[in-house]
Amino acid sequence: MYRPALSCGALLLALSVLTACEDPSSVGLDLVGEQGGQPFVVAVPPAVIEQEVLSDVTGTIGTTGTILRTLAGQVEDPLLGRITTTGHIDFQAPSSVPENFRNGQVSSTTLEMTIDYVYGDTTQPLVLTLHDIPEAWNASGTTADTLITARPEVVTEIRFAPTDSLVTVALPEAWVAAHDARLRATTFNDDFHGFQLAWRSGGAVVGFSPGGFRLRAVAGTDTVAFPAAKSVTRIEHTGGPDLGPDRILLQDGTGLNVRLRFDFTAETLRNHAVNRARLRLPTDTLTLQETPPGFVRPPLGEVVLYGITPDDTPVQITRVSRNADGQYVFETAGLLNVIQRMVLEEEIFDRFRLAVPTEQNTLNAALLLRDTTGTGGPAVLLTLTSPDN
């Protein structure tokens, strides 16, 4: 879930490169003359296909966009290694709070969490510990390697099945009494800093929907629901996979992206019109589907293709979903225009990057095939026209 930062110059470059042509069939005809020759197809395998590790952005706040899913738990994946996630969630006061609530005394508080994602062993309970966060913390643009300090004391343990849809936790009376004034105060947003959800036991990671978080406090006959305000997930990946030379992992959350380079400067490509360009990336779906009983390993749906400029600025080109054949196939007018210019040896992008869309916040994975010797491996398929035909 890598999030790029575009400079003004890169944004102008993206607009000029990626929107140059709406009709891909006409790209490059001005270079060879409209008489042209018969089109033919050339497969250009990647000169480089390798792992690129970048910290994913897992933090957002409600005032700047949709709050991302909060992950918590630990999974021992026999194929992909151990992944530990620690969730952090903060709340905000609603726009209107009854005066009777502010002037009363909080008698009970419950934490409600809606589960909308699971990865790992669903056959055993998952136990999380809830901790207070004592200081203000930043969520906007915060990455998965950020350490947010929580109090070591456990507020309560939360035990549930990973397949549950709703988890409701009654907070201890001692906690309610200690936070009574803070929950009723007009300065709640500044004084309360939320909770940490840490793994204690179990073999799964669950995702909590941001819209399904509620901190409910009861004072007298009034109940006030505090919605989620911001979230950050810390993700630690250890014992990484040994996939051999023929496969490479693209996985959300862990920061495991893929770097690609192609050589478009061969004599066989020069001075040709590129009438069609498709980037084909086959995947190994069968290996990911081989799991122990009760083990869930969600596949990766959408991926994003970035072009990386010579000054190391990422520019999003397009995004696609995996097709029924287990391939990611990128084909847009913008990509076509980029490759035509690279065939002409224009220094547009130094390389390409495959990453996961920013808004997902999962641990979903794809195994890309990296064999560049066979006809069915990763490649850019170019339909060319030559004036010499």
Side-chain angles (χ1 to χ4, degrees), residues 132 215 232 362:
D132 284 317
L215 184 66
V232 168
T362 68

Side-chain angles (χ1 to χ4, degrees), residues 58-381:
T58 61
T60 50
I61 57 177
T63 57
T64 60
T66 302
I67 302 174
L68 299 179
R69 175 187 288 115
T70 306
L71 303 178
Q74 179 175 284
V75 58
E76 294 277 0
D77 191 316
L79 177 67
L80 305 181
R82 175 188 294 171
I83 304 174
T84 305
T85 62
T86 305
H88 306 84
I89 188 75
D90 198 4
F91 299 86
Q92 61 187 358
S95 58
S96 178
V97 176
E99 283 301 314
N100 288 338
F101 179 87
R102 293 205 186 278
N103 296 328
Q105 183 175 5
V106 176
S107 57
S108 66
T109 305
T110 56
L111 175 63
E112 295 178 359
M113 304 180 290
T114 301
I115 298 175
D116 66 353
Y117 177 80
V118 61
Y119 168 43
D121 182 5
T122 62
T123 65
Q124 57 179 311
L126 180 61
V127 180
L128 305 177
T129 55
L130 190 72
H131 303 259
D132 284 317
I133 300 176
E135 304 290 341
W137 45 283
N138 181 48
S140 181
T142 303
T143 54
D145 57 351
T146 301
L147 180 63
I148 297 174
T149 302
R151 298 190 189 279
E153 298 82 12
V154 175
V155 174
T156 189
E157 277 193 357
I158 308 171
R159 183 184 181 92
F160 57 95
T163 53
D164 286 348
S165 59
L166 177 65
V167 178
T168 301
V169 184
L171 298 183
E173 292 181 2
W175 187 95
V176 174
H179 290 77
D180 168 42
R182 187 174 290 112
L183 290 166
R184 293 184 291 107
T186 58
T187 56
F188 172 86
N189 293 348
D190 296 323
D191 297 340
F192 185 77
H193 306 300
F195 299 111
Q196 179 187 85
L197 291 161
W199 173 82
R200 170 154 289 182
S201 66
V205 167
V206 297
F208 297 106
S209 168
F213 269 110
R214 287 290 185 275
L215 184 66
R216 296 189 185 274
V218 177
T221 59
D222 292 312
T223 300
V224 172
F226 300 83
K230 60 183 179 181
S231 171
V232 168
T233 299
R234 178 174 172 82
I235 301 174
E236 301 169 89
H237 188 199
T238 57
D242 181 11
L243 302 173
D246 297 331
R247 295 173 298 173
I248 189 168
L249 179 62
L250 177 63
Q251 187 174 25
D252 196 9
T254 61
L256 294 176
N257 301 317
V258 175
R259 179 189 293 116
L260 294 164
R261 278 194 175 93
F262 295 90
D263 183 7
F264 296 115
T265 63
E267 284 296 325
T268 53
L269 302 180
R270 294 188 63 185
N271 299 321
H272 289 78
V274 182
N275 300 113
R276 185 181 183 188
R278 288 182 297 147
L279 172 56
R280 178 193 65 199
L281 297 167
T283 68
D284 178 357
T285 58
L286 294 179
T287 298
L288 283 180
Q289 292 171 1
E290 295 173 354
T291 59
F295 192 99
V296 176
R297 184 189 291 131
L300 183 60
E302 280 192 311
V303 297
V304 181
L305 178 67
Y306 293 98
I308 311 300
T309 65
D311 66 355
D312 210 38
T313 301
V315 178
Q316 180 172 325
I317 298 175
T318 185
R319 57 194 284 176
V320 298
S321 298
R322 192 182 63 187
N323 64 23
D325 296 325
Q327 296 185 348
Y328 298 104
V329 179
F330 299 87
E331 183 177 10
T332 65
L335 177 62
L336 177 61
N337 189 43
V338 165
I339 292 177
Q340 173 71 89
R341 294 186 181 208
M342 294 179 74
V343 167
L344 295 173
E345 300 188 55
E346 293 186 29
E347 194 178 23
I348 298 174
F349 295 129
D350 173 68
R351 62 190 185 278
F352 297 93
R353 175 183 298 149
L354 293 173
V356 183
T358 59
E359 70 274 9
Q360 292 193 8
N361 205 29
T362 68
L363 298 175
N364 295 357
L367 289 179
L368 302 182
L369 299 180
R370 63 192 304 176
D371 178 20
T372 60
T373 60
T375 57
V380 173
L381 305 177

